[in-house]
Amino acid sequence: MTLDPQAPLDVDPLLDDPATRIVVCCGSGGVGKTTTAAALGLRAAERGRKVVVLTIDPARRLAQSMGIDSLDNTPRRVKDIDDAAGGELHAMMLDMKRTFDEIVEAHADEERARAILSNPFYQSLSAGFAGTQEYMAMEKLGQLRSRDEWDLIVVDTPPSRSALDFLDAPTRLGSFLDGKLIRLLMAPAKVGGRAGMKFLNVGMSMMTGTLGKLLGGQLLRDVQTFVAAMDTTFGGFRTRADATYKLLQAPGTAFLVVAAPERDALREAAYFVERLAAERMPLAGLVLNRVHGSGAGRLSAERALAAAENLDERRIVDQTGGKEEVRTAPAPGSPAAAEAPSDPTIEQLTAGLLRLHAERMHVVAREQRTRDRFTALHPEVAVTEVAALPGDVHDLAGLRDIGHRLAAGGNPAGAS
Amino acid sequence: MSRLQVVSGKGGTGKTTVAAALALALATEGRRTLLVEVEGRQGIAQLFETEALPYEERKIAVAPGGGEVYALAIDPELALLDYLQMFYKLGGAGRALKKLGAIDFATTVAPGLRDVLLTGKACEAVRRKDKQGRYAYDYVVMDAPPTGRITRFLNVNDEVAGLAKIGPIHNQAQAVMRVLKSRETAVHLVTLLEEMPVQETLDGVAELRAAKLPVGRIMVNMVRPALLGEPALALTRDTGVRPAVVEALAAAGIGSAKRLAGPLLTQAGEYAERYALERAQREQLAAAGLPLHELPLLTEGLDLSGLYTLAEELRRQGI
């Protein structure tokens, strides 16, 4: 079986195509999603596009490398990029509470906005609802897109407990806020009409009673006032969620699933690929980060280990020989003794090099098996590989290097 | 050793694996542990190669020396219905609430409420006793949310205080907090020897301490073996070493030694860089002043037998 049966993912044409307006990087946590988004943004900008990168929760040093460690929820121009091609790079970090506050401020008059913002239920919802971050990322994306100041938006997705939350959360929040319960809490009479009213009122009092008992009546009142205020200011959360959802399905959006060549990350990636297909979201391909290779791939792990043992034996012979000073009587069958005595430290080093290589070859083989499993399930998905780096990325040069690897990694001949 | 062991860590560091290994390690010598999952990911079932776990405590593994590991995937919705049943004998009304979306509301909308239910169930298992008055479980190990969310998750009292100022949820939160802030609980953080996870771990330790939550140990996962000693590492920095390496390779029976020496030394250079980086990360972790454990990287990937290896390693390191 060949090792690279998949179509390569060609990153540069995707970034260069003026029709590409949104690139979404998704995948499970800890696979280098944010770094990938930043590297893609930088590469596109240096190839002449006007780019904004929306990051969700960047590591401090990555944010610093782009000069966005101040949390103010607005895009900042990244300095010191190569703008010879006429491009620009802007970057921002999502502040979900600020984004939510801004929606409220934009849609309500001052007094009502203040009432909502100080409502304890709103404060809990805006800071920590399981889907708020995802919802606000989508909201921000919609805002950036409608401002039309950038010709490419690269989005990083929130570090959800599962990659799928990202797609589910907007609908979940939307459907909650437009949901049956909320409508009941607000105006029970409106829902059922005359026939349903009696039943609903019974259900209602039983329910508010129970909820009140459980949560405390004050919380329930907070919810009721909150929902009433939200609804009159800008009803139809669901409409907003639907609009952002459609934006993702539109031509011009490209999804990149980011993964590392590990079982769990690729299982999640496969899941995501299937989900995107089911939702008719346009998948551009898979970015496989931290892939190991070897310049000495022709030397197998087994042969390397055997040679390392060989060297160890020689060293032991050398050492015992040295101690007992019996160099005149070499051990039979030991070639070392016959030659000039070699430096034991060099032999130790060489044995170490060989063991290191054997370990590397095991990693390479394991990653290949994991990848093959993914390929067997999804042969249609284009892949680009990014070689593992010994250290983390701290500056634009590091991001540029990753961008280069991303562009080269789709081409098997270019991968090391 | 605290009876409630909470395991958190940055995504991708293997916190579920470490939690499972810890549950196995603590179950040795005939003890009984409960491994609890709160994020609905079914990570435990995948790890133990069993079918998806229901909302029910069931035995999933036997530890060396006759111990037993039970597992439970806590579902916040079912936990709430459970809770309503226990305190209000709701019966059918619970189902009606569910239909109306009230359960959804209480469990997913106000995160503090959901977290009280999740931690509350774990605390209940910690305190539960059998008819003879013995604890049902010697230890409860929780596979908790990641480092970035752990303080908020455990600090339910603060979260809920703003929402439910009175009532049973409020009281429940108070009771849960008493357990979580006591010596009965220890919060461990899993990390890798890489910059981002280490930074997040140190931030997490500071946050937990500020919230007066008991920080336990730092578990460094997937530690790669030291394959080159200090003297060999020093030699790799010497550019003149290559001819000697070619000679040694040839003597060891490697063909085309000349062509291989370069790439092998490059790999050693990468190793040296990583080694220096890892040493710096270790020093940073040590500065946190917490017990530090290291678990080896299993080169063949993780399977059930690997889990037992890690559990044994934890035992060896005094857990």
Side-chain angles (χ1 to χ4, degrees), chain A residues 161-173:
Chain A
R161 79 197 150 121
S162 131
L164 300 177
D165 275 6
F166 168 67
L167 286 176
D168 292 331
T171 340
R172 208 164 59 209
L173 182 63

Side-chain angles (χ1 to χ4, degrees), chain B residues 32-230:
Chain B
R32 182 189 281 187
T33 60
L34 178 67
L35 178 58
V36 166
E37 179 171 68
V38 296
E39 291 193 287
R41 267 196 317 195
Q42 290 294 342
I44 295 174
Q46 280 170 13
L47 211 51
F48 284 92
E49 296 164 17
T50 61
E51 57 198 80
L53 294 170
Y55 179 57
E56 174 192 296
E57 289 158 36
R58 68 164 54 161
K59 189 160 107 180
I60 50 161
V62 179
E68 293 171 325
V69 178
Y70 281 70
L72 169 69
I74 304 181
D75 177 300
E77 269 197 20
L78 295 174
L80 179 59
L81 285 173
D82 225 24
Y83 180 82
L84 291 175
Q85 192 56 35
M86 217 163 12
F87 290 95
Y88 300 105
K89 310 271 179 285
L90 272 184
R95 278 195 296 279
L97 281 175
K98 194 175 167 145
K99 239 183 176 163
L100 278 168
I103 301 293
D104 220 22
F105 160 74
T107 54
T108 66
V109 169
L113 302 184
R114 183 194 56 215
D115 295 348
V116 168
L117 290 164
L118 296 172
T119 47
K121 182 72 193 169
C123 288
E124 183 269 318
V126 169
R127 284 172 301 189
R128 194 189 309 156
K129 289 184 177 169
D130 63 14
K131 286 196 186 89
Q132 285 80 46
R134 283 177 314 209
Y135 283 119
Y137 295 103
D138 295 290
Y139 297 100
V140 175
V141 180
M142 182 195 278
D143 177 16
T147 319
R149 293 209 304 267
I150 186 67
T151 303
R152 216 191 159 89
F153 175 76
L154 295 176
N155 213 7
V156 282
N157 206 13
D158 282 5
E159 283 295 309
V160 167
L163 286 171
K165 296 195 175 72
I166 44 162
I169 286 273
H170 178 81
N171 297 341
Q172 165 88 347
Q174 299 282 345
V176 167
M177 277 326 288
R178 273 196 296 277
V179 175
L180 292 182
K181 290 199 173 168
S182 73
R183 298 168 65 96
E184 283 287 84
T185 302
V187 185
H188 311 304
L189 296 175
V190 182
T191 185
L192 307 178
L193 283 177
E194 290 168 16
E195 284 176 72
M196 283 191 220
V198 166
Q199 190 53 52
E200 205 167 290
T201 301
L202 296 174
D203 291 349
V205 169
E207 276 176 36
L208 287 165
R209 281 178 173 159
K212 297 197 169 58
L213 287 160
V215 191
R217 300 153 193 263
I218 293 177
M219 313 273 204
V220 183
N221 196 17
M222 302 187 217
V223 177
R224 285 173 275 219
L227 290 169
L228 285 182
E230 291 284 356

Side-chain angles (χ1 to χ4, degrees), chain A residues 29-30 35 59-61 120-121 124-125 127-130 159-162 172 176 180-181 184 203 206-207 210-211 213-219 222-223 263-264 267 290 292-296 298-299 303-304 307 310-311 314 335 339 345-350 352-357 359-360 362-363 366 369 390-392 394, chain B residues 10-12 39-41 46 80 83-84 88 90 93 96-97 99-102 105-106 108-111 113-114 149 152 162-169 194-196 199 203 224-225 227-228 231-232 235-236 241 244-245 248-249 251-255 259-260 263-265 267-268 270-271 273-274 277 297-302:
Chain A
T35 309
R60 203 169 302 154
R61 296 180 80 168
F121 180 70
S124 166
L125 182 72
F129 171 54
S160 308
R161 79 197 150 121
S162 131
R172 208 164 59 209
F176 159 68
K180 239 192 284 185
L181 176 72
L184 273 174
M206 177 203 83
M207 207 184 61
T210 310
L211 279 179
K213 245 195 261 171
L214 185 64
L215 309 171
Q218 146 264 333
L219 171 60
D222 286 343
V223 174
R263 191 180 51 178
D264 291 350
R267 182 162 45 206
R290 299 185 202 141
H292 290 87
S294 172
R298 287 165 51 178
L299 178 60
R303 274 182 58 216
N310 199 343
L311 282 172
R314 283 158 52 99
E339 293 160 17
T345 5
I346 287 290
E347 290 188 347
Q348 210 175 343
L349 167 67
T350 309
L353 291 180
L354 290 164
R355 292 216 161 81
L356 207 55
H357 178 67
E359 191 218 13
R360 173 71 69 97
H362 281 139
V363 172
R366 177 161 46 88
R369 279 198 303 276
D392 282 344
H394 304 135
Chain B
K10 184 176 165 25
E39 291 193 287
R41 267 196 317 195
Q46 280 170 13
L80 179 59
Y83 180 82
L84 291 175
Y88 300 105
L90 272 184
L97 281 175
K99 239 183 176 163
L100 278 168
F105 160 74
T108 66
V109 169
L113 302 184
R114 183 194 56 215
R149 293 209 304 267
R152 216 191 159 89
L163 286 171
K165 296 195 175 72
I166 44 162
I169 286 273
E194 290 168 16
E195 284 176 72
M196 283 191 220
Q199 190 53 52
D203 291 349
R224 285 173 275 219
L227 290 169
L228 285 182
L235 270 179
T236 58
V241 81
V245 168
L249 281 173
I254 298 283
R259 233 177 330 150
L260 287 171
L264 290 183
L265 280 165
Q267 283 174 187
E270 289 166 8
Y271 175 86
E273 191 179 335
R274 210 181 60 207
L277 198 93
L297 173 74
L298 302 174
T299 41
E300 285 314 301
L302 188 87

